[in-house]
Every structure is written in C-alpha cells, then in structure tokens.
PDB file of all heavy atoms in Angstrom:
ATOM      1  N   ARG A   1      -3.010 -35.176  17.635  1.00  0.00           N
ATOM      2  CA  ARG A   1      -3.110 -33.732  17.711  1.00  0.00           C
ATOM      3  C   ARG A   1      -4.590 -33.345  17.507  1.00  0.00           C
ATOM      4  O   ARG A   1      -5.388 -34.176  17.081  1.00  0.00           O
ATOM      5  CB  ARG A   1      -2.226 -33.061  16.665  1.00  0.00           C
ATOM      6  CG  ARG A   1      -2.642 -33.285  15.229  1.00  0.00           C
ATOM      7  CD  ARG A   1      -1.559 -32.786  14.260  1.00  0.00           C
ATOM      8  NE  ARG A   1      -1.094 -31.474  14.567  1.00  0.00           N
ATOM      9  CZ  ARG A   1       0.220 -31.101  14.476  1.00  0.00           C
ATOM     10  NH1 ARG A   1       1.121 -31.967  14.049  1.00  0.00           N
ATOM     11  NH2 ARG A   1       0.571 -29.873  14.771  1.00  0.00           N
ATOM     12  N   PRO A   2      -4.974 -32.089  17.782  1.00  0.00           N
ATOM     13  CA  PRO A   2      -6.374 -31.680  17.603  1.00  0.00           C
ATOM     14  C   PRO A   2      -6.850 -31.941  16.178  1.00  0.00           C
ATOM     15  O   PRO A   2      -6.080 -31.772  15.212  1.00  0.00           O
ATOM     16  CB  PRO A   2      -6.333 -30.182  17.935  1.00  0.00           C
ATOM     17  CG  PRO A   2      -5.180 -30.035  18.863  1.00  0.00           C
ATOM     18  CD  PRO A   2      -4.150 -31.018  18.373  1.00  0.00           C
ATOM     19  N   ALA A   3      -8.105 -32.294  16.040  1.00  0.00           N
ATOM     20  CA  ALA A   3      -8.649 -32.610  14.721  1.00  0.00           C
ATOM     21  C   ALA A   3      -8.505 -31.453  13.747  1.00  0.00           C
ATOM     22  O   ALA A   3      -8.337 -31.648  12.547  1.00  0.00           O
ATOM     23  CB  ALA A   3     -10.132 -33.007  14.860  1.00  0.00           C
ATOM     24  N   SER A   4      -8.571 -30.216  14.236  1.00  0.00           N
ATOM     25  CA  SER A   4      -8.477 -29.045  13.391  1.00  0.00           C
ATOM     26  C   SER A   4      -7.092 -28.885  12.793  1.00  0.00           C
ATOM     27  O   SER A   4      -6.897 -28.112  11.834  1.00  0.00           O
ATOM     28  CB  SER A   4      -8.838 -27.792  14.186  1.00  0.00           C
ATOM     29  OG  SER A   4      -7.940 -27.610  15.270  1.00  0.00           O
ATOM     30  N   GLU A   5      -6.092 -29.584  13.355  1.00  0.00           N
ATOM     31  CA  GLU A   5      -4.713 -29.459  12.869  1.00  0.00           C
ATOM     32  C   GLU A   5      -4.266 -30.676  12.049  1.00  0.00           C
ATOM     33  O   GLU A   5      -3.150 -30.688  11.510  1.00  0.00           O
ATOM     34  CB  GLU A   5      -3.751 -29.290  14.025  1.00  0.00           C
ATOM     35  CG  GLU A   5      -3.950 -28.007  14.816  1.00  0.00           C
ATOM     36  CD  GLU A   5      -2.932 -27.897  15.958  1.00  0.00           C
ATOM     37  OE1 GLU A   5      -2.012 -28.708  16.064  1.00  0.00           O
ATOM     38  OE2 GLU A   5      -3.103 -26.958  16.761  1.00  0.00           O
ATOM     39  N   VAL A   6      -5.098 -31.703  11.937  1.00  0.00           N
ATOM     40  CA  VAL A   6      -4.698 -32.931  11.263  1.00  0.00           C
ATOM     41  C   VAL A   6      -4.652 -32.690   9.739  1.00  0.00           C
ATOM     42  O   VAL A   6      -5.554 -32.087   9.163  1.00  0.00           O
ATOM     43  CB  VAL A   6      -5.665 -34.083  11.568  1.00  0.00           C
ATOM     44  CG1 VAL A   6      -5.365 -35.299  10.714  1.00  0.00           C
ATOM     45  CG2 VAL A   6      -5.585 -34.416  13.068  1.00  0.00           C
ATOM     46  N   SER A   7      -3.557 -33.148   9.121  1.00  0.00           N
ATOM     47  CA  SER A   7      -3.441 -33.039   7.683  1.00  0.00           C
ATOM     48  C   SER A   7      -2.598 -34.226   7.169  1.00  0.00           C
ATOM     49  O   SER A   7      -2.252 -35.125   7.953  1.00  0.00           O
ATOM     50  CB  SER A   7      -2.785 -31.721   7.275  1.00  0.00           C
ATOM     51  OG  SER A   7      -1.405 -31.702   7.655  1.00  0.00           O
ATOM     52  N   TYR A   8      -2.259 -34.228   5.919  1.00  0.00           N
ATOM     53  CA  TYR A   8      -1.428 -35.287   5.373  1.00  0.00           C
ATOM     54  C   TYR A   8      -0.004 -35.186   5.919  1.00  0.00           C
ATOM     55  O   TYR A   8       0.442 -34.101   6.322  1.00  0.00           O
ATOM     56  CB  TYR A   8      -1.416 -35.203   3.845  1.00  0.00           C
ATOM     57  CG  TYR A   8      -0.730 -33.966   3.303  1.00  0.00           C
ATOM     58  CD1 TYR A   8       0.603 -34.013   2.906  1.00  0.00           C
ATOM     59  CD2 TYR A   8      -1.402 -32.748   3.218  1.00  0.00           C
ATOM     60  CE1 TYR A   8       1.236 -32.882   2.406  1.00  0.00           C
ATOM     61  CE2 TYR A   8      -0.786 -31.601   2.740  1.00  0.00           C
ATOM     62  CZ  TYR A   8       0.536 -31.683   2.324  1.00  0.00           C
ATOM     63  OH  TYR A   8       1.171 -30.555   1.862  1.00  0.00           O
ATOM     64  N   THR A   9       0.713 -36.285   5.952  1.00  0.00           N
ATOM     65  CA  THR A   9       2.094 -36.270   6.402  1.00  0.00           C
ATOM     66  C   THR A   9       2.959 -35.608   5.345  1.00  0.00           C
ATOM     67  O   THR A   9       2.881 -35.932   4.153  1.00  0.00           O
ATOM     68  CB  THR A   9       2.587 -37.702   6.648  1.00  0.00           C
ATOM     69  OG1 THR A   9       1.782 -38.299   7.688  1.00  0.00           O
ATOM     70  CG2 THR A   9       4.048 -37.717   7.076  1.00  0.00           C
ATOM     71  N   HIS A  10       3.759 -34.628   5.744  1.00  0.00           N
ATOM     72  CA  HIS A  10       4.571 -33.906   4.788  1.00  0.00           C
ATOM     73  C   HIS A  10       5.947 -33.569   5.364  1.00  0.00           C
ATOM     74  O   HIS A  10       6.147 -33.577   6.581  1.00  0.00           O
ATOM     75  CB  HIS A  10       3.863 -32.626   4.338  1.00  0.00           C
ATOM     76  CG  HIS A  10       3.568 -31.669   5.443  1.00  0.00           C
ATOM     77  ND1 HIS A  10       4.539 -30.877   6.052  1.00  0.00           N
ATOM     78  CD2 HIS A  10       2.380 -31.371   6.078  1.00  0.00           C
ATOM     79  CE1 HIS A  10       3.979 -30.143   6.970  1.00  0.00           C
ATOM     80  NE2 HIS A  10       2.667 -30.413   7.017  1.00  0.00           N
ATOM     81  N   THR A  11       6.856 -33.253   4.486  1.00  0.00           N
ATOM     82  CA  THR A  11       8.176 -32.733   4.873  1.00  0.00           C
ATOM     83  C   THR A  11       8.078 -31.220   4.979  1.00  0.00           C
ATOM     84  O   THR A  11       6.973 -30.658   5.017  1.00  0.00           O
ATOM     85  CB  THR A  11       9.238 -33.157   3.835  1.00  0.00           C
ATOM     86  OG1 THR A  11       8.865 -32.651   2.556  1.00  0.00           O
ATOM     87  CG2 THR A  11       9.354 -34.676   3.772  1.00  0.00           C
ATOM     88  N   THR A  12       9.208 -30.537   4.984  1.00  0.00           N
ATOM     89  CA  THR A  12       9.221 -29.089   5.095  1.00  0.00           C
ATOM     90  C   THR A  12       8.507 -28.446   3.906  1.00  0.00           C
ATOM     91  O   THR A  12       8.719 -28.816   2.766  1.00  0.00           O
ATOM     92  CB  THR A  12      10.680 -28.589   5.160  1.00  0.00           C
ATOM     93  OG1 THR A  12      11.339 -29.223   6.248  1.00  0.00           O
ATOM     94  CG2 THR A  12      10.727 -27.083   5.397  1.00  0.00           C
ATOM     95  N   LEU A  13       7.659 -27.438   4.216  1.00  0.00           N
ATOM     96  CA  LEU A  13       6.878 -26.746   3.190  1.00  0.00           C
ATOM     97  C   LEU A  13       7.411 -25.329   3.045  1.00  0.00           C
ATOM     98  O   LEU A  13       7.174 -24.466   3.917  1.00  0.00           O
ATOM     99  CB  LEU A  13       5.402 -26.689   3.577  1.00  0.00           C
ATOM    100  CG  LEU A  13       4.713 -28.034   3.847  1.00  0.00           C
ATOM    101  CD1 LEU A  13       3.288 -27.805   4.366  1.00  0.00           C
ATOM    102  CD2 LEU A  13       4.703 -28.912   2.608  1.00  0.00           C
ATOM    103  N   PHE A  14       8.153 -25.041   1.983  1.00  0.00           N
ATOM    104  CA  PHE A  14       8.672 -23.704   1.756  1.00  0.00           C
ATOM    105  C   PHE A  14       7.634 -22.864   1.051  1.00  0.00           C
ATOM    106  O   PHE A  14       6.974 -23.331   0.109  1.00  0.00           O
ATOM    107  CB  PHE A  14       9.961 -23.766   0.948  1.00  0.00           C
ATOM    108  CG  PHE A  14      11.138 -24.296   1.728  1.00  0.00           C
ATOM    109  CD1 PHE A  14      11.441 -25.646   1.672  1.00  0.00           C
ATOM    110  CD2 PHE A  14      11.900 -23.464   2.499  1.00  0.00           C
ATOM    111  CE1 PHE A  14      12.506 -26.151   2.396  1.00  0.00           C
ATOM    112  CE2 PHE A  14      12.961 -23.960   3.237  1.00  0.00           C
ATOM    113  CZ  PHE A  14      13.266 -25.308   3.179  1.00  0.00           C
ATOM    114  N   ARG A  15       7.475 -21.598   1.492  1.00  0.00           N
ATOM    115  CA  ARG A  15       6.485 -20.710   0.907  1.00  0.00           C
ATOM    116  C   ARG A  15       7.087 -19.303   0.733  1.00  0.00           C
ATOM    117  O   ARG A  15       7.564 -18.712   1.699  1.00  0.00           O
ATOM    118  CB  ARG A  15       5.255 -20.599   1.837  1.00  0.00           C
ATOM    119  CG  ARG A  15       4.455 -21.870   1.976  1.00  0.00           C
ATOM    120  CD  ARG A  15       3.680 -22.177   0.698  1.00  0.00           C
ATOM    121  NE  ARG A  15       2.811 -23.316   0.846  1.00  0.00           N
ATOM    122  CZ  ARG A  15       3.150 -24.566   0.592  1.00  0.00           C
ATOM    123  NH1 ARG A  15       4.379 -24.838   0.169  1.00  0.00           N
ATOM    124  NH2 ARG A  15       2.302 -25.570   0.733  1.00  0.00           N
ATOM    125  N   PRO A  16       7.019 -18.736  -0.475  1.00  0.00           N
ATOM    126  CA  PRO A  16       7.484 -17.362  -0.681  1.00  0.00           C
ATOM    127  C   PRO A  16       6.419 -16.378  -0.213  1.00  0.00           C
ATOM    128  O   PRO A  16       5.228 -16.704  -0.244  1.00  0.00           O
ATOM    129  CB  PRO A  16       7.690 -17.272  -2.193  1.00  0.00           C
ATOM    130  CG  PRO A  16       6.695 -18.245  -2.737  1.00  0.00           C
ATOM    131  CD  PRO A  16       6.609 -19.383  -1.731  1.00  0.00           C
ATOM    132  N   PRO A  17       6.825 -15.181   0.198  1.00  0.00           N
ATOM    133  CA  PRO A  17       5.818 -14.161   0.549  1.00  0.00           C
ATOM    134  C   PRO A  17       4.952 -13.817  -0.657  1.00  0.00           C
ATOM    135  O   PRO A  17       5.422 -13.812  -1.794  1.00  0.00           O
ATOM    136  CB  PRO A  17       6.676 -12.944   0.967  1.00  0.00           C
ATOM    137  CG  PRO A  17       8.013 -13.521   1.306  1.00  0.00           C
ATOM    138  CD  PRO A  17       8.201 -14.722   0.404  1.00  0.00           C
ATOM    139  N   ARG A  18       3.658 -13.564  -0.427  1.00  0.00           N
ATOM    140  CA  ARG A  18       2.744 -13.216  -1.505  1.00  0.00           C
ATOM    141  C   ARG A  18       2.883 -11.762  -1.909  1.00  0.00           C
ATOM    142  O   ARG A  18       2.528 -11.374  -2.999  1.00  0.00           O
ATOM    143  CB  ARG A  18       1.304 -13.530  -1.117  1.00  0.00           C
ATOM    144  CG  ARG A  18       1.048 -15.008  -0.974  1.00  0.00           C
ATOM    145  CD  ARG A  18      -0.423 -15.314  -0.804  1.00  0.00           C
ATOM    146  NE  ARG A  18      -0.680 -16.736  -0.727  1.00  0.00           N
ATOM    147  CZ  ARG A  18      -1.864 -17.302  -0.648  1.00  0.00           C
ATOM    148  NH1 ARG A  18      -2.939 -16.513  -0.609  1.00  0.00           N
ATOM    149  NH2 ARG A  18      -2.006 -18.604  -0.567  1.00  0.00           N
ATOM    150  N   ASN A  19       3.343 -10.945  -0.998  1.00  0.00           N
ATOM    151  CA  ASN A  19       3.619  -9.542  -1.331  1.00  0.00           C
ATOM    152  C   ASN A  19       4.912  -9.504  -2.131  1.00  0.00           C
ATOM    153  O   ASN A  19       5.954  -9.939  -1.661  1.00  0.00           O
ATOM    154  CB  ASN A  19       3.768  -8.718  -0.045  1.00  0.00           C
ATOM    155  CG  ASN A  19       3.961  -7.254  -0.328  1.00  0.00           C
ATOM    156  OD1 ASN A  19       4.593  -6.864  -1.294  1.00  0.00           O
ATOM    157  ND2 ASN A  19       3.432  -6.437   0.567  1.00  0.00           N
ATOM    158  N   ALA A  20       4.859  -9.013  -3.354  1.00  0.00           N
ATOM    159  CA  ALA A  20       6.024  -9.049  -4.211  1.00  0.00           C
ATOM    160  C   ALA A  20       7.178  -8.275  -3.624  1.00  0.00           C
ATOM    161  O   ALA A  20       8.340  -8.624  -3.837  1.00  0.00           O
ATOM    162  CB  ALA A  20       5.665  -8.468  -5.582  1.00  0.00           C
ATOM    163  N   ALA A  21       6.889  -7.226  -2.840  1.00  0.00           N
ATOM    164  CA  ALA A  21       7.962  -6.448  -2.257  1.00  0.00           C
ATOM    165  C   ALA A  21       8.645  -7.185  -1.124  1.00  0.00           C
ATOM    166  O   ALA A  21       9.803  -6.913  -0.805  1.00  0.00           O
ATOM    167  CB  ALA A  21       7.400  -5.107  -1.744  1.00  0.00           C
ATOM    168  N   GLY A  22       7.965  -8.108  -0.486  1.00  0.00           N
ATOM    169  CA  GLY A  22       8.560  -8.913   0.581  1.00  0.00           C
ATOM    170  C   GLY A  22       8.882  -8.098   1.811  1.00  0.00           C
ATOM    171  O   GLY A  22       8.174  -8.153   2.814  1.00  0.00           O
ATOM    172  N   ALA A  23       9.929  -7.312   1.735  1.00  0.00           N
ATOM    173  CA  ALA A  23      10.397  -6.562   2.887  1.00  0.00           C
ATOM    174  C   ALA A  23       9.368  -5.551   3.386  1.00  0.00           C
ATOM    175  O   ALA A  23       9.341  -5.221   4.556  1.00  0.00           O
ATOM    176  CB  ALA A  23      11.700  -5.834   2.544  1.00  0.00           C
ATOM    177  N   ALA A  24       8.511  -5.090   2.507  1.00  0.00           N
ATOM    178  CA  ALA A  24       7.495  -4.102   2.896  1.00  0.00           C
ATOM    179  C   ALA A  24       6.496  -4.686   3.883  1.00  0.00           C
ATOM    180  O   ALA A  24       5.828  -3.957   4.589  1.00  0.00           O
ATOM    181  CB  ALA A  24       6.763  -3.588   1.656  1.00  0.00           C
ATOM    182  N   SER A  25       6.406  -6.009   3.936  1.00  0.00           N
ATOM    183  CA  SER A  25       5.469  -6.659   4.855  1.00  0.00           C
ATOM    184  C   SER A  25       6.087  -6.978   6.213  1.00  0.00           C
ATOM    185  O   SER A  25       5.456  -7.574   7.041  1.00  0.00           O
ATOM    186  CB  SER A  25       4.965  -7.964   4.219  1.00  0.00           C
ATOM    187  OG  SER A  25       4.265  -7.694   3.042  1.00  0.00           O
ATOM    188  N   ARG A  26       7.329  -6.561   6.416  1.00  0.00           N
ATOM    189  CA  ARG A  26       8.028  -6.900   7.644  1.00  0.00           C
ATOM    190  C   ARG A  26       7.919  -5.757   8.638  1.00  0.00           C
ATOM    191  O   ARG A  26       7.912  -4.585   8.276  1.00  0.00           O
ATOM    192  CB  ARG A  26       9.500  -7.166   7.364  1.00  0.00           C
ATOM    193  CG  ARG A  26       9.712  -8.423   6.522  1.00  0.00           C
ATOM    194  CD  ARG A  26      11.159  -8.540   6.112  1.00  0.00           C
ATOM    195  NE  ARG A  26      11.360  -9.757   5.330  1.00  0.00           N
ATOM    196  CZ  ARG A  26      12.484 -10.019   4.653  1.00  0.00           C
ATOM    197  NH1 ARG A  26      13.472  -9.151   4.663  1.00  0.00           N
ATOM    198  NH2 ARG A  26      12.596 -11.133   3.975  1.00  0.00           N
ATOM    199  N   PRO A  27       7.852  -6.080   9.942  1.00  0.00           N
ATOM    200  CA  PRO A  27       7.804  -5.012  10.967  1.00  0.00           C
ATOM    201  C   PRO A  27       9.143  -4.310  11.047  1.00  0.00           C
ATOM    202  O   PRO A  27      10.181  -4.890  10.763  1.00  0.00           O
ATOM    203  CB  PRO A  27       7.476  -5.786  12.254  1.00  0.00           C
ATOM    204  CG  PRO A  27       8.036  -7.141  12.001  1.00  0.00           C
ATOM    205  CD  PRO A  27       7.827  -7.424  10.521  1.00  0.00           C
ATOM    206  N   SER A  28       9.125  -3.038  11.433  1.00  0.00           N
ATOM    207  CA  SER A  28      10.346  -2.265  11.551  1.00  0.00           C
ATOM    208  C   SER A  28      11.080  -2.576  12.852  1.00  0.00           C
ATOM    209  O   SER A  28      12.277  -2.390  12.947  1.00  0.00           O
ATOM    210  CB  SER A  28      10.053  -0.769  11.467  1.00  0.00           C
ATOM    211  OG  SER A  28       9.146  -0.407  12.500  1.00  0.00           O
ATOM    212  N   ALA A  29      10.342  -3.030  13.855  1.00  0.00           N
ATOM    213  CA  ALA A  29      10.953  -3.298  15.159  1.00  0.00           C
ATOM    214  C   ALA A  29      11.216  -4.788  15.349  1.00  0.00           C
ATOM    215  O   ALA A  29      10.505  -5.622  14.775  1.00  0.00           O
ATOM    216  CB  ALA A  29      10.050  -2.778  16.265  1.00  0.00           C
ATOM    217  N   THR A  30      12.214  -5.082  16.146  1.00  0.00           N
ATOM    218  CA  THR A  30      12.541  -6.465  16.457  1.00  0.00           C
ATOM    219  C   THR A  30      11.891  -6.856  17.770  1.00  0.00           C
ATOM    220  O   THR A  30      11.848  -6.062  18.720  1.00  0.00           O
ATOM    221  CB  THR A  30      14.074  -6.628  16.577  1.00  0.00           C
ATOM    222  OG1 THR A  30      14.665  -6.331  15.328  1.00  0.00           O
ATOM    223  CG2 THR A  30      14.448  -8.040  16.985  1.00  0.00           C
ATOM    224  N   ALA A  31      11.366  -8.097  17.839  1.00  0.00           N
ATOM    225  CA  ALA A  31      10.780  -8.574  19.086  1.00  0.00           C
ATOM    226  C   ALA A  31      11.810  -8.539  20.197  1.00  0.00           C
ATOM    227  O   ALA A  31      12.998  -8.823  19.971  1.00  0.00           O
ATOM    228  CB  ALA A  31      10.270  -9.997  18.889  1.00  0.00           C
ATOM    229  N   SER A  32      11.407  -8.185  21.403  1.00  0.00           N
ATOM    230  CA  SER A  32      12.374  -7.955  22.479  1.00  0.00           C
ATOM    231  C   SER A  32      12.232  -8.894  23.672  1.00  0.00           C
ATOM    232  O   SER A  32      13.028  -8.835  24.591  1.00  0.00           O
ATOM    233  CB  SER A  32      12.272  -6.499  22.960  1.00  0.00           C
ATOM    234  OG  SER A  32      10.954  -6.255  23.450  1.00  0.00           O
ATOM    235  N   ARG A  33      11.206  -9.730  23.682  1.00  0.00           N
ATOM    236  CA  ARG A  33      11.032 -10.628  24.834  1.00  0.00           C
ATOM    237  C   ARG A  33      11.967 -11.817  24.703  1.00  0.00           C
ATOM    238  O   ARG A  33      12.182 -12.334  23.620  1.00  0.00           O
ATOM    239  CB  ARG A  33       9.580 -11.114  24.915  1.00  0.00           C
ATOM    240  CG  ARG A  33       8.610 -10.014  25.243  1.00  0.00           C
ATOM    241  CD  ARG A  33       7.230 -10.573  25.440  1.00  0.00           C
ATOM    242  NE  ARG A  33       6.714 -11.166  24.226  1.00  0.00           N
ATOM    243  CZ  ARG A  33       5.598 -11.855  24.181  1.00  0.00           C
ATOM    244  NH1 ARG A  33       4.875 -12.021  25.241  1.00  0.00           N
ATOM    245  NH2 ARG A  33       5.178 -12.375  23.028  1.00  0.00           N
ATOM    246  N   TYR A  34      12.541 -12.234  25.831  1.00  0.00           N
ATOM    247  CA  TYR A  34      13.505 -13.320  25.777  1.00  0.00           C
ATOM    248  C   TYR A  34      13.518 -14.084  27.084  1.00  0.00           C
ATOM    249  O   TYR A  34      12.938 -13.672  28.070  1.00  0.00           O
ATOM    250  CB  TYR A  34      14.892 -12.791  25.451  1.00  0.00           C
ATOM    251  CG  TYR A  34      15.434 -11.789  26.467  1.00  0.00           C
ATOM    252  CD1 TYR A  34      16.206 -12.226  27.545  1.00  0.00           C
ATOM    253  CD2 TYR A  34      15.138 -10.448  26.339  1.00  0.00           C
ATOM    254  CE1 TYR A  34      16.665 -11.314  28.472  1.00  0.00           C
ATOM    255  CE2 TYR A  34      15.617  -9.531  27.272  1.00  0.00           C
ATOM    256  CZ  TYR A  34      16.382  -9.963  28.332  1.00  0.00           C
ATOM    257  OH  TYR A  34      16.833  -9.078  29.242  1.00  0.00           O
ATOM    258  N   VAL A  35      14.236 -15.172  27.096  1.00  0.00           N
ATOM    259  CA  VAL A  35      14.372 -16.015  28.287  1.00  0.00           C
ATOM    260  C   VAL A  35      15.833 -16.081  28.666  1.00  0.00           C
ATOM    261  O   VAL A  35      16.696 -16.306  27.812  1.00  0.00           O
ATOM    262  CB  VAL A  35      13.853 -17.431  27.992  1.00  0.00           C
ATOM    263  CG1 VAL A  35      14.101 -18.358  29.168  1.00  0.00           C
ATOM    264  CG2 VAL A  35      12.354 -17.382  27.703  1.00  0.00           C
ATOM    265  N   ASN A  36      16.160 -15.874  29.915  1.00  0.00           N
ATOM    266  CA  ASN A  36      17.498 -16.022  30.404  1.00  0.00           C
ATOM    267  C   ASN A  36      17.707 -17.455  30.901  1.00  0.00           C
ATOM    268  O   ASN A  36      17.045 -17.873  31.855  1.00  0.00           O
ATOM    269  CB  ASN A  36      17.802 -15.041  31.544  1.00  0.00           C
ATOM    270  CG  ASN A  36      17.955 -13.634  31.019  1.00  0.00           C
ATOM    271  OD1 ASN A  36      18.564 -13.419  29.986  1.00  0.00           O
ATOM    272  ND2 ASN A  36      17.389 -12.665  31.713  1.00  0.00           N
ATOM    273  N   VAL A  37      18.588 -18.192  30.290  1.00  0.00           N
ATOM    274  CA  VAL A  37      18.873 -19.567  30.663  1.00  0.00           C
ATOM    275  C   VAL A  37      20.388 -19.713  30.766  1.00  0.00           C
ATOM    276  O   VAL A  37      21.101 -19.314  29.852  1.00  0.00           O
ATOM    277  CB  VAL A  37      18.348 -20.568  29.595  1.00  0.00           C
ATOM    278  CG1 VAL A  37      18.629 -21.981  30.020  1.00  0.00           C
ATOM    279  CG2 VAL A  37      16.849 -20.368  29.388  1.00  0.00           C
ATOM    280  N   PRO A  38      20.938 -20.264  31.882  1.00  0.00           N
ATOM    281  CA  PRO A  38      22.370 -20.462  31.955  1.00  0.00           C
ATOM    282  C   PRO A  38      22.842 -21.470  30.925  1.00  0.00           C
ATOM    283  O   PRO A  38      22.239 -22.536  30.799  1.00  0.00           O
ATOM    284  CB  PRO A  38      22.580 -20.985  33.392  1.00  0.00           C
ATOM    285  CG  PRO A  38      21.269 -21.542  33.790  1.00  0.00           C
ATOM    286  CD  PRO A  38      20.223 -20.705  33.075  1.00  0.00           C
ATOM    287  N   VAL A  39      23.870 -21.126  30.192  1.00  0.00           N
ATOM    288  CA  VAL A  39      24.359 -21.987  29.127  1.00  0.00           C
ATOM    289  C   VAL A  39      25.828 -22.253  29.327  1.00  0.00           C
ATOM    290  O   VAL A  39      26.608 -21.357  29.672  1.00  0.00           O
ATOM    291  CB  VAL A  39      24.132 -21.319  27.741  1.00  0.00           C
ATOM    292  CG1 VAL A  39      24.732 -22.147  26.639  1.00  0.00           C
ATOM    293  CG2 VAL A  39      22.647 -21.111  27.510  1.00  0.00           C
ATOM    294  N   ALA A  40      26.243 -23.497  29.125  1.00  0.00           N
ATOM    295  CA  ALA A  40      27.640 -23.871  29.299  1.00  0.00           C
ATOM    296  C   ALA A  40      28.499 -23.124  28.275  1.00  0.00           C
ATOM    297  O   ALA A  40      28.111 -22.862  27.160  1.00  0.00           O
ATOM    298  CB  ALA A  40      27.788 -25.379  29.083  1.00  0.00           C
ATOM    299  N   THR A  41      29.736 -22.815  28.660  1.00  0.00           N
ATOM    300  CA  THR A  41      30.630 -22.059  27.776  1.00  0.00           C
ATOM    301  C   THR A  41      31.222 -22.894  26.651  1.00  0.00           C
ATOM    302  O   THR A  41      31.437 -22.354  25.570  1.00  0.00           O
ATOM    303  CB  THR A  41      31.771 -21.444  28.594  1.00  0.00           C
ATOM    304  OG1 THR A  41      32.394 -22.461  29.385  1.00  0.00           O
ATOM    305  CG2 THR A  41      31.248 -20.376  29.503  1.00  0.00           C
TER     306      THR A  41
END
C-alpha cells in the first residue's frame, strides 16, 4: 500500500467520539446516493 498509509499490523480499532455529546456531531440528513444492483430473492 502507499507509504503514507503503512502502519503496524493491527486488529479492529474501536474509538469513541471525542465530543462528549456524541450525537451533536452527527449530520441531520442521511446520505442519499446509492447503487442499484439486481439481487437474488
């Protein structure tokens, strides 16, 4: 991978929001772009 992205090998890194309110840092609108792909039933 690019040198700027190289780091130590790790598992999943969980991180809590730094804003104590949490929800206050979230956008009010939901992203609306999507992909239509045929999917088996």
Side-chain angles (χ1 to χ4, degrees):
R1 67 190 312 141
S4 60
E5 296 181 8
V6 172
S7 69
Y8 66 98
T9 298
H10 60 75
T11 58
T12 304
L13 304 174
F14 288 94
R15 293 287 186 270
R18 292 190 178 183
N19 184 325
S25 297
R26 294 172 179 168
S28 58
T30 297
S32 59
R33 293 186 296 173
Y34 60 92
V35 174
N36 287 319
V37 181
V39 176
T41 52

